[in-house]
Amino acid sequence: MKKAEKVKMQPVALWEGNSFVRAASLGPNGEICVLWTICESEILAEGVPGGMVEQPMDHEAVIFKDGQYIKVPLKNQKWSYHFIEYLSDYELLLASSRSVFHEGGKEERNGRVFDLTGKITRSFCLGDGINHLSATGDGRIWTGYFDEGVYGNNHWEQPIGEKGLIGWDTEGNMVEWHDQPRDHFISDCYAMNVVADGEVWFYFYDDFHIGIWKNGETVYRIPDIEGATVFAVHEDWILFSGGYANHGRYFLCKRNGNRYRTVQELILSDAKGRKIDILLTYARGAKLLLQSEKESYVFDLADWIRQNRM
């Protein structure tokens, strides 16, 4: 393996205020969305292990687009949100990772769509145990589930997330899913990357293989890293987070046939070469978002490969 290389980055967006970061994402056209709340942690409703909170909270969604900050006030919200996605110039999707199935067949609708004034326009259930969520430019919402979503919890006898990976339309209708073949069964979707419209990559436990779903067909490849939680993709290259033994580190892997082999560690740092205090990560295609308390950094794997003539 080559010697580790430090990559110095400038922040692409700066943030002010005393709120706490709850969620962050990259939109289909490079928009950065950040969800802020006034409380560092919330109190879940007593006896309800889902996304509902005991007391309504105020949030603020901010979209950084074309150098401008678009603020969306979200008042008196009864949900703990873990995901924010830019659906269009008119709508945002907020979602909780949890949903409880109640007696009488009532399911909690943990996906909620807002217009840019903060008014809710519709809601739907995306299932319990969501680990990753990403929306495409052509109107697909992809969800990957952790083990409780796949095998069932929160009173779900037949969990929605049993397929491990699901594609939805923006009205909350299930339109695509992973078939869960015996040899490539998703027990836990550790990482997901919506590379393009009609193409989603997913990295899953038990096998820690990469699945590549493209226009209804899936192929599988084998990386040499276990336990990664985010990855960026460009052509024959993948940048993985470090996995179980290397939290906070990033490793460049190159494809050789059906396998990806680690070739170099990249040390992602701020402009002065200092470690970035990363709160959240998110990947879309070749771009990796590193969200800190006051800055958003975006590492572009495609640009780095071109600049280094790899």
Side-chain angles (χ1 to χ4, degrees):
M1 189 168 69
K2 292 183 179 179
K3 181 181 178 181
E5 180 173 337
K6 180 171 285 189
V7 181
K8 296 180 180 180
M9 299 185 294
Q10 295 282 353
V12 296
L14 302 174
W15 308 91
E16 298 178 350
N18 297 317
S19 298
F20 297 92
V21 178
R22 293 291 294 164
S25 67
L26 280 173
N29 296 305
E31 307 90 353
I32 297 175
C33 299
V34 180
L35 181 65
W36 303 87
T37 186
I38 59 173
C39 296
E40 187 171 9
S41 61
E42 68 280 279
I43 302 173
L44 295 178
E46 184 176 357
V48 181
M52 299 288 286
V53 294
E54 192 173 71
Q55 296 180 344
M57 301 172 60
D58 290 345
H59 302 272
E60 183 179 61
V62 184
I63 306 161
F64 181 74
K65 180 182 179 183
D66 300 327
Q68 302 294 317
Y69 294 87
I70 304 169
K71 297 183 178 181
V72 182
L74 301 161
K75 302 293 186 180
N76 297 316
Q77 296 299 306
K78 298 180 180 179
W79 281 84
S80 172
Y81 296 117
H82 306 98
F83 306 101
I84 180 171
E85 285 292 320
Y86 186 81
L87 294 184
S88 70
D89 289 340
Y90 311 101
E91 292 185 323
L92 285 173
L93 170 66
L94 301 184
S96 170
S97 69
R98 308 315 303 251
S99 171
V100 176
F101 191 88
H102 296 281
E103 290 185 12
K106 184 179 179 180
E107 57 191 24
E108 291 182 350
R109 297 184 175 187
N110 55 335
R112 305 170 74 79
V113 179
F114 296 82
D115 66 22
L116 298 193
T117 70
K119 179 183 178 181
I120 186 168
T121 61
R122 60 192 180 277
S123 62
F124 37 78
C125 182
L126 296 171
D128 186 42
I130 301 171
N131 205 22
H132 297 280
L133 186 151
S134 189
T136 67
D138 65 349
R140 284 287 181 268
I141 301 165
W142 286 94
T143 47
Y145 298 83
F146 58 85
D147 53 358
E148 292 183 15
V150 174
Y151 295 103
N153 197 356
N154 287 341
H155 311 300
W156 288 90
E157 293 184 2
Q158 187 173 356
I160 289 174
E162 64 184 353
K163 300 180 185 302
L165 179 77
I166 297 174
W168 312 77
D169 65 20
T170 55
E171 299 296 322
N173 300 303
M174 191 185 303
V175 291
E176 308 284 358
W177 54 84
H178 185 248
D179 289 329
Q180 291 288 50
R182 182 185 297 270
D183 292 342
H184 301 289
F185 189 91
I186 301 174
S187 289
D188 194 321
C189 183
Y190 265 50
M192 185 179 77
N193 185 325
V194 174
V195 172
D197 295 347
E199 183 175 353
V200 57
W201 293 41
F202 55 99
Y203 170 80
F204 58 97
Y205 182 84
D206 302 353
D207 298 325
F208 289 122
H209 290 177
I210 287 276
I212 304 169
W213 183 96
K214 188 173 183 178
N215 298 323
E217 301 292 332
T218 306
V219 297
Y220 300 90
R221 295 174 185 161
I222 305 170
D224 61 0
I225 288 179
E226 295 187 350
T229 56
V230 69
F231 63 91
V233 179
H234 176 64
E235 296 179 346
D236 287 336
W237 301 88
I238 297 181
L239 183 71
F240 277 105
S241 63
Y244 288 134
N246 296 291
H247 289 294
R249 299 170 67 183
Y250 293 88
F251 294 91
L252 185 65
C253 300
K254 186 176 183 180
R255 182 183 172 195
N256 182 4
N258 196 39
R259 295 182 178 271
Y260 286 93
R261 299 297 188 191
T262 301
V263 296
Q264 189 175 21
E265 179 180 359
L266 299 185
I267 303 170
L268 305 184
S269 65
D270 68 12
K272 295 183 178 180
R274 299 172 301 193
K275 179 181 178 181
I276 301 170
D277 187 11
I278 301 170
L279 300 178
L280 298 168
T281 58
Y282 182 103
R284 183 183 291 271
K287 295 182 178 180
L288 174 64
L289 171 66
L290 307 175
Q291 181 65 45
S292 72
E293 184 178 0
K294 299 296 183 183
E295 299 92 19
S296 297
Y297 295 85
V298 177
F299 174 77
D300 191 323
L301 178 60
D303 283 351
W304 190 89
I305 293 293
R306 284 191 291 267
Q307 291 169 8
N308 289 271
R309 300 179 181 179
M310 301 292 283

